[in-house]
Amino acid sequence: MRVTHPFHPLAGQVLQFVARSRCWSGDVVFYLDEQGRRRPIPAAWTDVVAD
């Protein structure tokens, strides 16, 4: 998945998609960072298509 939010520090980078979840904070997707840790980012800030 690609980060599309223009002001996010990872803007334009392609990240390894792990999972998608809807929780109290909204629709989020998870990716793996450089250390292999699972990290969240709002789905709306990526090219993942919302349902």
Side-chain angles (χ1 to χ4, degrees):
M1 73 180 180
R2 182 178 303 274
V3 179
T4 57
H5 191 285
F7 301 114
H8 192 279
L10 299 175
Q13 292 189 31
V14 176
L15 306 173
Q16 181 179 351
F17 175 84
V18 175
R20 184 175 180 184
S21 178
R22 290 196 171 95
C23 57
W24 65 269
S25 62
D27 190 13
V28 296
V29 291
F30 295 90
Y31 67 94
L32 296 179
D33 68 9
E34 298 82 22
Q35 290 77 34
R37 295 176 294 200
R38 192 174 123 167
R39 299 289 188 187
I41 188 171
W45 294 4
T46 70
D47 62 356
V48 174
V49 178
D51 292 337

